[in-house]
Short mmCIF file of all heavy atoms in Angstrom, two decimals:
data_model
loop_
_atom_site.label_atom_id
_atom_site.label_comp_id
_atom_site.label_asym_id
_atom_site.label_seq_id
_atom_site.Cartn_x
_atom_site.Cartn_y
_atom_site.Cartn_z
N MET A 588 -2.24 10.77 9.45
CA MET A 588 -1.73 10.25 8.20
C MET A 588 -2.66 9.14 7.71
O MET A 588 -3.24 8.40 8.50
CB MET A 588 -0.31 9.69 8.38
CG MET A 588 0.69 10.66 9.00
SD MET A 588 1.03 12.09 7.96
CE MET A 588 2.19 11.38 6.79
N HIS A 589 -2.75 9.03 6.40
CA HIS A 589 -3.57 7.97 5.84
C HIS A 589 -2.96 7.46 4.53
O HIS A 589 -2.13 8.14 3.93
CB HIS A 589 -5.01 8.44 5.63
CG HIS A 589 -5.13 9.55 4.61
ND1 HIS A 589 -4.83 10.86 4.90
CD2 HIS A 589 -5.50 9.52 3.31
CE1 HIS A 589 -5.02 11.60 3.83
NE2 HIS A 589 -5.42 10.81 2.83
N ILE A 590 -3.37 6.28 4.14
CA ILE A 590 -2.85 5.65 2.92
C ILE A 590 -3.71 6.08 1.73
O ILE A 590 -4.94 6.02 1.80
CB ILE A 590 -2.88 4.12 3.06
CG1 ILE A 590 -1.88 3.68 4.13
CG2 ILE A 590 -2.57 3.45 1.72
CD1 ILE A 590 -2.02 2.21 4.52
N VAL A 591 -3.02 6.47 0.67
CA VAL A 591 -3.70 6.71 -0.60
C VAL A 591 -3.16 5.68 -1.59
O VAL A 591 -1.95 5.60 -1.82
CB VAL A 591 -3.44 8.14 -1.12
CG1 VAL A 591 -4.11 8.33 -2.47
CG2 VAL A 591 -3.96 9.16 -0.11
N PHE A 592 -4.04 4.88 -2.13
CA PHE A 592 -3.66 3.80 -3.04
C PHE A 592 -4.29 4.05 -4.41
O PHE A 592 -5.51 4.24 -4.51
CB PHE A 592 -4.14 2.46 -2.47
CG PHE A 592 -3.98 1.30 -3.41
CD1 PHE A 592 -2.74 0.97 -3.93
CD2 PHE A 592 -5.07 0.55 -3.77
CE1 PHE A 592 -2.59 -0.11 -4.79
CE2 PHE A 592 -4.94 -0.53 -4.64
CZ PHE A 592 -3.70 -0.85 -5.15
N ASP A 593 -3.44 4.05 -5.42
CA ASP A 593 -3.91 4.27 -6.80
C ASP A 593 -3.95 2.92 -7.52
O ASP A 593 -2.94 2.41 -7.98
CB ASP A 593 -2.96 5.23 -7.51
CG ASP A 593 -3.47 5.63 -8.90
OD1 ASP A 593 -4.29 4.89 -9.47
OD2 ASP A 593 -3.03 6.67 -9.40
N ARG A 594 -5.13 2.36 -7.56
CA ARG A 594 -5.31 1.03 -8.16
C ARG A 594 -4.89 1.01 -9.63
O ARG A 594 -4.46 -0.04 -10.15
CB ARG A 594 -6.78 0.62 -8.00
CG ARG A 594 -7.18 -0.67 -8.67
CD ARG A 594 -6.46 -1.87 -8.07
NE ARG A 594 -6.88 -3.09 -8.74
CZ ARG A 594 -6.43 -3.47 -9.94
NH1 ARG A 594 -5.56 -2.74 -10.58
NH2 ARG A 594 -6.86 -4.60 -10.48
N GLU A 595 -4.99 2.12 -10.30
CA GLU A 595 -4.62 2.18 -11.72
C GLU A 595 -3.11 1.98 -11.90
O GLU A 595 -2.67 1.47 -12.93
CB GLU A 595 -5.03 3.53 -12.31
CG GLU A 595 -6.53 3.76 -12.32
CD GLU A 595 -7.25 2.77 -13.22
OE1 GLU A 595 -6.79 2.56 -14.35
OE2 GLU A 595 -8.25 2.19 -12.77
N LYS A 596 -2.33 2.37 -10.91
CA LYS A 596 -0.87 2.23 -11.01
C LYS A 596 -0.38 0.86 -10.56
O LYS A 596 0.70 0.44 -10.97
CB LYS A 596 -0.19 3.32 -10.17
CG LYS A 596 -0.36 4.72 -10.71
CD LYS A 596 0.41 5.71 -9.84
CE LYS A 596 0.27 7.14 -10.36
NZ LYS A 596 0.91 8.11 -9.43
N CYS A 597 -1.12 0.21 -9.69
CA CYS A 597 -0.67 -1.07 -9.14
C CYS A 597 -0.52 -2.12 -10.24
O CYS A 597 -1.44 -2.32 -11.04
CB CYS A 597 -1.67 -1.57 -8.09
SG CYS A 597 -1.24 -3.18 -7.39
N GLN A 598 0.67 -2.76 -10.23
CA GLN A 598 0.93 -3.83 -11.20
C GLN A 598 1.12 -5.18 -10.51
O GLN A 598 1.58 -6.14 -11.15
CB GLN A 598 2.18 -3.48 -12.02
CG GLN A 598 2.03 -2.23 -12.86
CD GLN A 598 0.97 -2.37 -13.94
OE1 GLN A 598 0.88 -3.41 -14.58
NE2 GLN A 598 0.16 -1.34 -14.13
N GLY A 599 0.81 -5.24 -9.23
CA GLY A 599 0.86 -6.51 -8.52
C GLY A 599 2.24 -6.97 -8.11
O GLY A 599 2.49 -8.17 -7.97
N HIS A 600 3.13 -6.06 -7.87
CA HIS A 600 4.49 -6.45 -7.46
C HIS A 600 4.52 -7.10 -6.08
O HIS A 600 5.45 -7.86 -5.79
CB HIS A 600 5.41 -5.23 -7.48
CG HIS A 600 5.68 -4.71 -8.85
ND1 HIS A 600 6.50 -5.38 -9.74
CD2 HIS A 600 5.22 -3.62 -9.50
CE1 HIS A 600 6.55 -4.69 -10.88
NE2 HIS A 600 5.77 -3.62 -10.76
N GLY A 601 3.56 -6.79 -5.25
CA GLY A 601 3.41 -7.52 -3.99
C GLY A 601 4.32 -7.10 -2.86
O GLY A 601 4.31 -7.72 -1.80
N ARG A 602 5.10 -6.09 -3.06
CA ARG A 602 6.01 -5.69 -1.98
C ARG A 602 5.24 -5.10 -0.81
O ARG A 602 5.65 -5.25 0.34
CB ARG A 602 7.03 -4.68 -2.51
CG ARG A 602 7.94 -5.29 -3.56
CD ARG A 602 8.99 -4.34 -4.03
NE ARG A 602 9.67 -4.87 -5.20
CZ ARG A 602 10.60 -4.21 -5.88
NH1 ARG A 602 10.93 -2.98 -5.51
NH2 ARG A 602 11.18 -4.76 -6.92
N CYS A 603 4.16 -4.43 -1.09
CA CYS A 603 3.39 -3.78 -0.01
C CYS A 603 2.86 -4.81 0.97
O CYS A 603 3.05 -4.67 2.18
CB CYS A 603 2.27 -2.95 -0.60
SG CYS A 603 1.19 -3.84 -1.72
N TYR A 604 2.21 -5.84 0.48
CA TYR A 604 1.64 -6.81 1.42
C TYR A 604 2.67 -7.77 1.98
O TYR A 604 2.43 -8.40 3.01
CB TYR A 604 0.41 -7.54 0.85
CG TYR A 604 0.49 -8.07 -0.55
CD1 TYR A 604 1.10 -9.27 -0.83
CD2 TYR A 604 -0.10 -7.36 -1.60
CE1 TYR A 604 1.14 -9.77 -2.13
CE2 TYR A 604 -0.07 -7.84 -2.89
CZ TYR A 604 0.56 -9.05 -3.15
OH TYR A 604 0.60 -9.52 -4.43
N ALA A 605 3.86 -7.87 1.33
CA ALA A 605 4.95 -8.63 1.94
C ALA A 605 5.57 -7.85 3.10
O ALA A 605 5.90 -8.43 4.14
CB ALA A 605 6.02 -8.95 0.89
N LEU A 606 5.72 -6.55 2.92
CA LEU A 606 6.40 -5.73 3.93
C LEU A 606 5.45 -5.24 5.03
O LEU A 606 5.90 -5.00 6.15
CB LEU A 606 7.03 -4.51 3.25
CG LEU A 606 8.22 -4.81 2.34
CD1 LEU A 606 8.54 -3.59 1.48
CD2 LEU A 606 9.43 -5.21 3.16
N ALA A 607 4.20 -5.07 4.70
CA ALA A 607 3.25 -4.52 5.67
C ALA A 607 1.93 -5.31 5.60
O ALA A 607 0.89 -4.78 5.20
CB ALA A 607 3.00 -3.04 5.37
N PRO A 608 1.98 -6.58 6.02
CA PRO A 608 0.79 -7.43 5.88
C PRO A 608 -0.38 -7.03 6.77
O PRO A 608 -1.50 -7.48 6.53
CB PRO A 608 1.33 -8.83 6.26
CG PRO A 608 2.53 -8.57 7.10
CD PRO A 608 3.14 -7.30 6.55
N ASP A 609 -0.11 -6.21 7.77
CA ASP A 609 -1.23 -5.72 8.59
C ASP A 609 -2.01 -4.62 7.89
O ASP A 609 -3.15 -4.31 8.27
CB ASP A 609 -0.71 -5.17 9.92
CG ASP A 609 -0.15 -6.26 10.81
OD1 ASP A 609 -0.48 -7.45 10.59
OD2 ASP A 609 0.62 -5.92 11.72
N LEU A 610 -1.40 -4.03 6.87
CA LEU A 610 -2.02 -2.89 6.20
C LEU A 610 -2.50 -3.21 4.80
O LEU A 610 -3.41 -2.55 4.27
CB LEU A 610 -1.02 -1.72 6.11
CG LEU A 610 -0.45 -1.23 7.44
CD1 LEU A 610 0.55 -0.11 7.18
CD2 LEU A 610 -1.56 -0.75 8.35
N PHE A 611 -1.87 -4.21 4.16
CA PHE A 611 -2.19 -4.54 2.77
C PHE A 611 -2.39 -6.04 2.61
O PHE A 611 -1.75 -6.84 3.30
CB PHE A 611 -1.04 -4.11 1.84
CG PHE A 611 -0.76 -2.64 1.85
CD1 PHE A 611 0.19 -2.10 2.70
CD2 PHE A 611 -1.45 -1.77 1.01
CE1 PHE A 611 0.45 -0.74 2.73
CE2 PHE A 611 -1.21 -0.40 1.03
CZ PHE A 611 -0.24 0.11 1.89
N ASP A 612 -3.24 -6.39 1.69
CA ASP A 612 -3.43 -7.79 1.31
C ASP A 612 -3.48 -7.82 -0.21
O ASP A 612 -3.44 -6.78 -0.87
CB ASP A 612 -4.72 -8.33 1.92
CG ASP A 612 -4.73 -9.85 2.01
OD1 ASP A 612 -3.79 -10.50 1.49
OD2 ASP A 612 -5.69 -10.38 2.59
N ALA A 613 -3.55 -9.03 -0.74
CA ALA A 613 -3.63 -9.21 -2.19
C ALA A 613 -5.04 -9.62 -2.58
O ALA A 613 -5.69 -10.37 -1.86
CB ALA A 613 -2.65 -10.29 -2.63
N ASP A 614 -5.46 -9.14 -3.74
CA ASP A 614 -6.73 -9.66 -4.26
C ASP A 614 -6.44 -10.95 -5.03
O ASP A 614 -5.30 -11.44 -5.06
CB ASP A 614 -7.46 -8.60 -5.08
CG ASP A 614 -6.80 -8.28 -6.41
OD1 ASP A 614 -5.85 -9.01 -6.83
OD2 ASP A 614 -7.23 -7.31 -7.07
N ASP A 615 -7.42 -11.52 -5.67
CA ASP A 615 -7.25 -12.80 -6.33
C ASP A 615 -6.24 -12.76 -7.46
O ASP A 615 -5.71 -13.80 -7.87
CB ASP A 615 -8.61 -13.28 -6.89
CG ASP A 615 -9.57 -13.66 -5.77
OD1 ASP A 615 -9.11 -13.87 -4.63
OD2 ASP A 615 -10.78 -13.74 -6.05
N GLU A 616 -5.95 -11.58 -7.97
CA GLU A 616 -5.00 -11.45 -9.08
C GLU A 616 -3.65 -10.89 -8.63
O GLU A 616 -2.79 -10.61 -9.47
CB GLU A 616 -5.62 -10.56 -10.15
CG GLU A 616 -6.88 -11.17 -10.74
CD GLU A 616 -7.53 -10.29 -11.79
OE1 GLU A 616 -7.55 -9.06 -11.60
OE2 GLU A 616 -8.01 -10.84 -12.79
N GLY A 617 -3.49 -10.71 -7.33
CA GLY A 617 -2.21 -10.23 -6.81
C GLY A 617 -2.08 -8.73 -6.70
O GLY A 617 -1.01 -8.24 -6.32
N TYR A 618 -3.13 -8.04 -7.03
CA TYR A 618 -3.10 -6.59 -6.84
C TYR A 618 -3.38 -6.27 -5.38
O TYR A 618 -3.98 -7.06 -4.66
CB TYR A 618 -4.14 -5.91 -7.74
CG TYR A 618 -3.86 -6.07 -9.21
CD1 TYR A 618 -4.58 -6.99 -9.97
CD2 TYR A 618 -2.87 -5.32 -9.84
CE1 TYR A 618 -4.32 -7.15 -11.32
CE2 TYR A 618 -2.60 -5.48 -11.20
CZ TYR A 618 -3.33 -6.40 -11.93
OH TYR A 618 -3.06 -6.57 -13.26
N ALA A 619 -2.93 -5.10 -4.97
CA ALA A 619 -3.03 -4.75 -3.56
C ALA A 619 -4.45 -4.38 -3.14
O ALA A 619 -5.22 -3.81 -3.93
CB ALA A 619 -2.09 -3.58 -3.26
N LEU A 620 -4.75 -4.73 -1.92
CA LEU A 620 -5.94 -4.26 -1.22
C LEU A 620 -5.47 -3.54 0.03
O LEU A 620 -4.57 -4.04 0.73
CB LEU A 620 -6.84 -5.42 -0.82
CG LEU A 620 -7.42 -6.28 -1.93
CD1 LEU A 620 -8.09 -7.53 -1.32
CD2 LEU A 620 -8.43 -5.48 -2.74
N VAL A 621 -6.06 -2.42 0.33
CA VAL A 621 -5.72 -1.70 1.56
C VAL A 621 -6.68 -2.17 2.66
O VAL A 621 -7.90 -2.16 2.48
CB VAL A 621 -5.84 -0.18 1.37
CG1 VAL A 621 -5.40 0.55 2.64
CG2 VAL A 621 -4.98 0.28 0.19
N LEU A 622 -6.10 -2.59 3.77
CA LEU A 622 -6.91 -3.17 4.85
C LEU A 622 -7.38 -2.14 5.86
O LEU A 622 -8.23 -2.47 6.69
CB LEU A 622 -6.08 -4.25 5.57
CG LEU A 622 -5.64 -5.43 4.71
CD1 LEU A 622 -4.78 -6.37 5.54
CD2 LEU A 622 -6.83 -6.17 4.13
N VAL A 623 -6.82 -0.97 5.81
CA VAL A 623 -7.20 0.04 6.80
C VAL A 623 -7.77 1.25 6.08
O VAL A 623 -7.35 1.60 4.97
CB VAL A 623 -5.98 0.49 7.65
CG1 VAL A 623 -5.50 -0.66 8.52
CG2 VAL A 623 -4.86 1.02 6.80
N SER A 624 -8.72 1.89 6.70
CA SER A 624 -9.26 3.12 6.14
C SER A 624 -9.14 4.22 7.18
O SER A 624 -9.13 3.96 8.39
CB SER A 624 -10.72 2.91 5.73
OG SER A 624 -11.49 2.54 6.85
N GLY A 625 -9.03 5.42 6.71
CA GLY A 625 -8.96 6.54 7.62
C GLY A 625 -7.57 6.71 8.23
O GLY A 625 -6.57 6.23 7.69
N GLU A 626 -7.55 7.35 9.37
CA GLU A 626 -6.28 7.70 10.00
C GLU A 626 -5.52 6.46 10.47
O GLU A 626 -6.09 5.55 11.07
CB GLU A 626 -6.55 8.60 11.21
CG GLU A 626 -6.86 10.03 10.85
CD GLU A 626 -5.67 10.74 10.22
OE1 GLU A 626 -4.62 10.82 10.86
OE2 GLU A 626 -5.80 11.19 9.07
N LEU A 627 -4.23 6.46 10.18
CA LEU A 627 -3.36 5.40 10.66
C LEU A 627 -3.02 5.63 12.13
O LEU A 627 -2.84 6.77 12.56
CB LEU A 627 -2.06 5.38 9.86
CG LEU A 627 -2.17 5.01 8.39
CD1 LEU A 627 -0.89 5.37 7.67
CD2 LEU A 627 -2.49 3.53 8.22
N ALA A 628 -2.92 4.54 12.87
CA ALA A 628 -2.38 4.64 14.23
C ALA A 628 -0.89 4.99 14.12
O ALA A 628 -0.25 4.72 13.10
CB ALA A 628 -2.55 3.31 14.95
N ASP A 629 -0.37 5.58 15.16
CA ASP A 629 1.03 6.01 15.12
C ASP A 629 1.97 4.86 14.76
O ASP A 629 2.93 5.05 14.02
CB ASP A 629 1.44 6.59 16.48
CG ASP A 629 0.80 7.95 16.75
OD1 ASP A 629 0.26 8.54 15.80
OD2 ASP A 629 0.84 8.39 17.91
N ASP A 630 1.69 3.68 15.28
CA ASP A 630 2.59 2.56 15.02
C ASP A 630 2.38 1.92 13.65
O ASP A 630 3.06 0.97 13.29
CB ASP A 630 2.47 1.51 16.13
CG ASP A 630 1.08 0.93 16.24
OD1 ASP A 630 0.17 1.38 15.51
OD2 ASP A 630 0.89 0.02 17.07
N GLN A 631 1.44 2.43 12.87
CA GLN A 631 1.22 1.94 11.51
C GLN A 631 1.89 2.82 10.45
O GLN A 631 2.05 2.40 9.31
CB GLN A 631 -0.28 1.88 11.20
CG GLN A 631 -1.03 0.86 12.03
CD GLN A 631 -2.53 0.92 11.76
OE1 GLN A 631 -3.11 2.00 11.66
NE2 GLN A 631 -3.15 -0.24 11.65
N VAL A 632 2.26 4.01 10.84
CA VAL A 632 2.75 4.97 9.84
C VAL A 632 4.06 4.50 9.21
O VAL A 632 4.23 4.58 7.99
CB VAL A 632 2.90 6.37 10.47
CG1 VAL A 632 3.55 7.33 9.49
CG2 VAL A 632 1.54 6.90 10.91
N ALA A 633 4.98 4.00 10.02
CA ALA A 633 6.27 3.57 9.49
C ALA A 633 6.09 2.42 8.50
O ALA A 633 6.74 2.39 7.45
CB ALA A 633 7.22 3.18 10.61
N ALA A 634 5.23 1.47 8.82
CA ALA A 634 4.99 0.35 7.93
C ALA A 634 4.34 0.81 6.62
O ALA A 634 4.68 0.33 5.54
CB ALA A 634 4.13 -0.71 8.61
N ALA A 635 3.43 1.73 6.74
CA ALA A 635 2.78 2.27 5.54
C ALA A 635 3.80 3.00 4.66
O ALA A 635 3.78 2.84 3.43
CB ALA A 635 1.65 3.22 5.94
N GLN A 636 4.67 3.75 5.29
CA GLN A 636 5.68 4.46 4.51
C GLN A 636 6.67 3.50 3.88
O GLN A 636 7.12 3.70 2.74
CB GLN A 636 6.41 5.47 5.41
CG GLN A 636 7.30 6.44 4.64
CD GLN A 636 6.49 7.28 3.66
OE1 GLN A 636 5.58 7.99 4.07
NE2 GLN A 636 6.81 7.20 2.37
N LEU A 637 7.01 2.43 4.59
CA LEU A 637 7.91 1.41 4.04
C LEU A 637 7.30 0.80 2.78
O LEU A 637 7.98 0.62 1.75
CB LEU A 637 8.15 0.33 5.09
CG LEU A 637 9.09 -0.80 4.68
CD1 LEU A 637 10.52 -0.30 4.52
CD2 LEU A 637 9.03 -1.94 5.70
N ALA A 638 6.02 0.48 2.85
CA ALA A 638 5.33 -0.07 1.69
C ALA A 638 5.33 0.94 0.54
O ALA A 638 5.61 0.59 -0.62
CB ALA A 638 3.90 -0.45 2.07
N ALA A 639 5.05 2.17 0.86
CA ALA A 639 5.01 3.21 -0.17
C ALA A 639 6.38 3.36 -0.83
O ALA A 639 6.49 3.44 -2.06
CB ALA A 639 4.57 4.53 0.44
N ASP A 640 7.42 3.35 -0.02
CA ASP A 640 8.78 3.54 -0.53
C ASP A 640 9.22 2.38 -1.42
O ASP A 640 10.12 2.55 -2.25
CB ASP A 640 9.77 3.70 0.62
CG ASP A 640 9.59 5.00 1.38
OD1 ASP A 640 8.92 5.91 0.86
OD2 ASP A 640 10.14 5.10 2.49
N ASN A 641 8.63 1.21 -1.20
CA ASN A 641 9.08 0.03 -1.93
C ASN A 641 8.18 -0.37 -3.08
O ASN A 641 8.43 -1.38 -3.74
CB ASN A 641 9.23 -1.14 -0.95
CG ASN A 641 10.51 -1.04 -0.15
OD1 ASN A 641 11.57 -1.45 -0.62
ND2 ASN A 641 10.45 -0.45 1.03
N CYS A 642 7.13 0.39 -3.33
CA CYS A 642 6.28 0.09 -4.49
C CYS A 642 6.94 0.66 -5.74
O CYS A 642 7.10 1.87 -5.86
CB CYS A 642 4.89 0.68 -4.32
SG CYS A 642 3.91 0.44 -5.82
N PRO A 643 7.31 -0.21 -6.69
CA PRO A 643 8.00 0.26 -7.89
C PRO A 643 7.12 1.15 -8.78
O PRO A 643 7.63 1.87 -9.63
CB PRO A 643 8.36 -1.03 -8.64
CG PRO A 643 8.21 -2.12 -7.64
CD PRO A 643 7.19 -1.67 -6.65
N GLU A 644 5.82 1.05 -8.58
CA GLU A 644 4.90 1.80 -9.43
C GLU A 644 4.42 3.11 -8.79
O GLU A 644 3.58 3.81 -9.36
CB GLU A 644 3.69 0.94 -9.78
CG GLU A 644 4.02 -0.43 -10.37
CD GLU A 644 4.74 -0.33 -11.70
OE1 GLU A 644 4.61 0.70 -12.39
OE2 GLU A 644 5.44 -1.31 -12.06
N TYR A 645 4.90 3.38 -7.59
CA TYR A 645 4.48 4.58 -6.85
C TYR A 645 2.95 4.61 -6.71
O TYR A 645 2.33 5.68 -6.81
CB TYR A 645 4.98 5.86 -7.54
CG TYR A 645 6.48 5.85 -7.75
CD1 TYR A 645 7.03 5.57 -8.98
CD2 TYR A 645 7.33 6.11 -6.67
CE1 TYR A 645 8.42 5.54 -9.15
CE2 TYR A 645 8.72 6.09 -6.85
CZ TYR A 645 9.25 5.80 -8.08
OH TYR A 645 10.61 5.77 -8.26
N ALA A 646 2.39 3.45 -6.46
CA ALA A 646 0.94 3.35 -6.34
C ALA A 646 0.43 3.72 -4.95
O ALA A 646 -0.76 3.90 -4.76
CB ALA A 646 0.48 1.93 -6.69
N ILE A 647 1.37 3.80 -4.00
CA ILE A 647 0.99 4.05 -2.60
C ILE A 647 1.65 5.34 -2.14
O ILE A 647 2.86 5.53 -2.34
CB ILE A 647 1.46 2.89 -1.69
CG1 ILE A 647 0.82 1.57 -2.12
CG2 ILE A 647 1.14 3.21 -0.22
CD1 ILE A 647 1.51 0.36 -1.53
N THR A 648 0.89 6.18 -1.51
CA THR A 648 1.46 7.33 -0.82
C THR A 648 0.85 7.41 0.57
O THR A 648 -0.26 6.92 0.80
CB THR A 648 1.24 8.65 -1.58
OG1 THR A 648 -0.17 8.80 -1.83
CG2 THR A 648 1.98 8.69 -2.89
N VAL A 649 1.61 7.99 1.46
CA VAL A 649 1.14 8.23 2.83
C VAL A 649 1.03 9.74 2.99
O VAL A 649 2.02 10.44 2.86
CB VAL A 649 2.09 7.62 3.87
CG1 VAL A 649 1.55 7.85 5.27
CG2 VAL A 649 2.28 6.13 3.61
N GLU A 650 -0.18 10.19 3.20
CA GLU A 650 -0.44 11.62 3.18
C GLU A 650 -1.06 12.09 4.48
O GLU A 650 -1.74 11.32 5.18
CB GLU A 650 -1.35 11.97 2.01
CG GLU A 650 -0.72 11.59 0.67
CD GLU A 650 -1.60 11.93 -0.53
OE1 GLU A 650 -2.64 12.59 -0.32
OE2 GLU A 650 -1.25 11.53 -1.63
N ALA A 651 -0.85 13.33 4.78
CA ALA A 651 -1.42 13.91 6.01
C ALA A 651 -2.93 14.12 5.84
O ALA A 651 -3.42 14.24 4.74
CB ALA A 651 -0.75 15.22 6.31
FE1 LIG B 1561 0.81 -2.99 -6.26
FE2 LIG B 1561 2.93 -1.68 -5.55
FE3 LIG B 1561 1.84 -3.35 -3.90
S1 LIG B 1561 2.53 -2.47 -7.56
S2 LIG B 1561 0.93 -4.93 -5.16
S3 LIG B 1561 0.91 -1.49 -4.67
S4 LIG B 1561 4.02 -3.05 -4.21
#
C-alpha cells in the first residue's frame, strides 16, 4: 500500500499531519507534505488510512 496525495485538492485543513505526524507534515503555508515514499510498512497503513478518511477534501488516498 502507498499514499497518493493530490496537492491540487489540499486546502490545508491539517487533519492529516495532526492525526498521522509520522507520515505527513505541513509546508510553510499549512498544506500537507507526505513524509514517506513508496510502500508503507504494515504498521503505517492504519495511520495513513485514518488521515485519508479524515481529509475533508479527499486529497489523500491509500492505494495498493
Ligand atoms: Fe490537506 Fe487534507 Fe491534510 S486538506 S492538510 S491533505 S487534511
Side-chain angles (χ1 to χ4, degrees):
M588 306 295 281
H589 64 281
I590 293 169
V591 177
F592 172 57
D593 186 338
R594 175 64 179 79
E595 296 296 313
K596 291 182 180 175
C597 178
Q598 297 295 319
H600 292 287
R602 295 183 190 176
C603 54
Y604 46 81
L606 291 167
D609 292 340
L610 303 178
F611 298 93
D612 201 354
D614 70 10
D615 291 343
E616 297 179 321
Y618 296 103
L620 298 170
V621 183
L622 299 177
V623 294
S624 60
E626 283 293 301
L627 293 166
D629 288 347
D630 61 356
Q631 294 175 318
V632 173
Q636 191 61 59
L637 181 68
D640 290 345
N641 282 277
C642 175
E644 307 297 336
Y645 305 102
I647 300 164
T648 54
V649 182
E650 300 181 7

